[in-house]
């Protein structure tokens, strides 16, 4: 699969091409219904644990005429980068990845700082685009899982 920026993408392209963008974010006590967390938490432990508000970023992924929404927490962006650093698309990418960072983890205020969250959302989108524009990143298993890209191919195989 090949990544194109939202500006360059057209639904006329076949399902070899995709784009994605962070549409919005939600402050929620638990994951959205359509979200499947990539972390390995046991559902029982989740229900017994104390819920706390977390921000879920809504990422719209388009491939041809199809699209889907993926919800990801900030920690999942960090986990994605960690996985890419452990297993880069090519050994020569280690230096590049050592210089890539996700935006700051939290704001240090007791109230929700919407300006901070707006900036972080923009920076996360830039982070994704920066990775996806590089050769071989769009086909990396960690990226495919993060954006659920395989769901497009599975639906194409059913035809």
């Amino acid at each position: 699969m090949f990544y194109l920026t939202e500006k360059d993408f057209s639904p006329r392209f076949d399902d070899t091409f995709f784009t994605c963008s962070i549409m919005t974010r939600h402050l929620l006590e638990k994951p959205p219904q359509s979200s499947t967390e990539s972390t390995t938490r046991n559902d029982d432990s989740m229900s017994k644990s104390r819920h706390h508000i977390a921000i879920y970023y809504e990422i719209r992924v388009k491939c041809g005429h199809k699209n889907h929404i993926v919800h990801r927490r900030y920690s999942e962006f960090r986990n994605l980068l960690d996985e890419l650093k452990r297993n880069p698309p090519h050994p020569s990418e280690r230096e590049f990845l050592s210089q890539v960072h996700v935006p700051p983890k939290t704001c240090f205020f007791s109230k929700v700082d919407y300006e901070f969250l707006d900036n972080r959302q923009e920076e996360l989108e830039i982070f994704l685009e920066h990775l996806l524009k590089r050769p071989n990143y769009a086909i990396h298993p960690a990226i495919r899982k993060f954006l659920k890209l395989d769901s497009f191919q599975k639906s194409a195989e059913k035809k």
Side-chain angles (χ1 to χ4, degrees), residues 53-70:
I53 293 178
I55 297 170
Y56 290 85
Y57 294 93
E58 185 176 299
I59 305 169
R60 182 180 62 200
V61 184
K62 296 182 195 176
C63 186
H65 291 284
K66 298 173 250 158
N67 67 75
H68 65 242
I69 300 296
V70 180

Side-chain angles (χ1 to χ4, degrees), residues 93-117:
E93 289 292 300
R94 288 188 194 283
E95 185 178 337
F96 164 74
L97 287 167
S98 70
Q99 298 174 22
V100 174
H101 303 285
V102 291
K105 182 176 179 179
T106 59
C107 55
F108 300 104
F109 307 106
S110 58
K111 294 181 184 178
V112 175
D113 182 350
Y114 290 101
E115 184 177 347
F116 171 83
L117 295 175

Side-chain angles (χ1 to χ4, degrees), residues 31 37 40 61 74 102 112 118 136 139 147:
E37 287 195 44
T40 55
V61 184
Y74 171 81
V102 291
V112 175
D118 289 342
N136 299 318
I139 59 172
L147 296 174

Side-chain angles (χ1 to χ4, degrees), residues 38-53:
S38 65
T39 55
T40 55
R41 293 186 191 173
N42 183 338
D43 286 341
D44 292 337
S45 67
M46 286 285 290
S47 62
K48 292 176 186 174
S49 68
R50 187 183 73 167
H51 290 289
H52 62 280
I53 293 178

